[in-house]
């Protein structure tokens, strides 16, 4: 049994358990998806008890299965973007609503929300000016280049995927419904998975023609979140990604 304690005065463990259950329900309803969620034994505000997974290195076969299963999970279409309750991304609150429009949701409840959380007023002002300058452009671009809403893990880096000798488990989700390429972009943020994963994923789900632009927008959210949680070591990445908007888009002002 694995126990995770909460040292903060919030409901993050309860929301994590809720997210694990939602992700598990979506996995169970998806054909050809062999991903698993650890069994939940107990949760309250202070402690989360999960099945302990004896993790090991992923085999080539498992990495291929991971790519195929995630792609099949992402193929399932949902009617709305976002989520009907707030949850967490790491230690930060992740604000949610249910929305019929993807671009507006991601701009306001992901990018703008994180920028407004910045404590340094000078940096906040700088980032707000740059972000708001491209508000309509980003919203329109994301709306035009998102096919449908998929269930997202939301924080899909290598540390949140566990491989036992025969199974693949997802942990620590920041779950919501959105563009499937949010998860794909996050997998590449800190080195990514093996080529076997991506080649198998793309056999089932094709990458969009604007993916490289979208990856910058989507991973800016995570860099902003890391800056708000961990501090200045992520500031230059945030500046670089926000500044990239000047090259990605033609400013209409």
């Amino acid at each position: 049994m694995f126990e995770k304690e909460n040292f903060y005065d919030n409901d993050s463990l309860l929301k994590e358990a809720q997210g694990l259950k939602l992700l598990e329900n979506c996995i169970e309803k998806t054909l050809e998806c062999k991903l698993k969620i650890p069994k939940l034994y107990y949760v309250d505000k202070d402690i989360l008890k999960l099945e302990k997974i004896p993790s090991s290195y992923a085999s080539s076969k498992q990495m291929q299965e991971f790519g195929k299963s995630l792609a099949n999970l992402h193929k399932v279409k949902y009617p709305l973007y976002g989520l009907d309750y707030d949850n967490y991304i790491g230690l930060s609150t992740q604000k949610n609503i249910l929305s019929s429009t993807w671009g507006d949701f991601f701009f306001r409840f992901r990018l703008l929300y994180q920028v407004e959380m910045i404590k340094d007023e000078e940096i906040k002002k700088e980032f707000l000016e740059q972000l708001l300058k491209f508000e309509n452009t980003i919203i329109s671009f994301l709306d035009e280049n998102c096919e449908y809403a998929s269930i997202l893990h939301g924080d899909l880096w290598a540390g949140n995927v566990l491989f036992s000798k025969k199974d693949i488990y997802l942990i620590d989700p920041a779950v919501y419904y959105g563009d499937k390429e949010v998860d794909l972009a996050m997998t590449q943020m800190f080195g990514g998975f093996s080529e076997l994963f991506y080649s198998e994923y793309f056999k089932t789900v094709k990458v969009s023609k604007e993916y490289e632009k979208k990856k910058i927008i989507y991973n800016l959210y995570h860099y902003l979140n890391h800056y708000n949680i961990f501090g200045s070591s992520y500031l230059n990445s945030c500046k670089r990604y926000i500044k990239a908007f000047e090259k990605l888009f033609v400013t209409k002002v």
Side-chain angles (χ1 to χ4, degrees), residues 152-171:
L152 303 179
H153 178 281
D155 196 7
L156 195 60
W157 67 290
N160 285 340
V161 184
L162 301 179
F163 298 89
S164 69
K165 288 185 178 181
K166 63 175 183 175
D167 293 312
I168 307 162
Y169 293 84
L170 299 180
I171 60 171

Side-chain angles (χ1 to χ4, degrees), residues 7-154:
F7 299 99
Y8 302 90
D9 187 22
N10 58 41
D11 61 347
S12 60
L13 294 183
L14 295 170
K15 292 299 175 65
E16 181 176 338
Q18 194 172 357
L20 287 168
K21 187 63 179 175
L22 175 58
L23 200 54
E24 184 176 48
N25 289 341
C26 292
I27 288 170
E28 288 176 349
K29 295 175 183 177
T30 303
L31 297 175
E32 296 187 72
C33 181
K34 297 182 180 179
L35 301 176
K36 292 191 173 184
I37 302 297
K39 292 178 183 176
L40 172 63
Y41 294 119
Y42 177 80
V43 63
D44 63 20
K45 189 172 175 292
D46 300 310
I47 192 166
L48 175 69
K49 295 183 179 181
L50 296 172
E51 172 188 9
K52 186 174 181 179
I53 307 302
S55 59
S56 61
Y57 290 106
S59 66
S60 297
K61 184 178 179 181
Q62 283 180 310
M63 195 56 72
Q64 289 176 307
E65 186 56 59
F66 179 32
K68 180 181 178 181
S69 290
L70 183 66
N72 282 317
L73 187 65
H74 282 166
K75 277 178 64 179
V76 180
K77 299 178 182 180
Y78 291 89
L80 294 170
Y81 301 98
L83 200 62
D84 58 354
Y85 60 89
D86 295 343
N87 52 10
Y88 293 83
I89 175 79
L91 300 177
S92 298
T93 300
Q94 185 167 254
K95 296 294 289 184
N96 291 304
I97 60 166
L98 285 173
S99 174
S100 60
T101 56
W102 170 240
D104 187 75
F105 172 81
F106 194 85
F107 184 87
R108 299 188 189 286
F109 291 89
R110 294 297 178 261
L111 299 180
L112 189 59
Y113 182 77
Q114 281 288 336
V115 169
E116 289 176 340
M117 286 175 61
I118 294 173
K119 295 178 181 178
D120 186 305
E121 292 298 326
E122 185 175 337
I123 293 171
K124 182 193 291 188
K125 183 177 181 231
E126 175 190 342
F127 285 6
L128 272 175
E129 286 177 355
Q130 188 74 345
L131 194 60
L132 292 174
K133 182 171 152 183
F134 291 96
E135 177 179 357
N136 293 333
T137 304
I138 291 171
I139 290 173
S140 296
F141 173 75
L142 293 182
D143 282 340
E144 291 166 6
N145 292 283
C146 177
E147 295 179 275
Y148 55 85
S150 303
I151 187 68
L152 303 179
H153 178 281

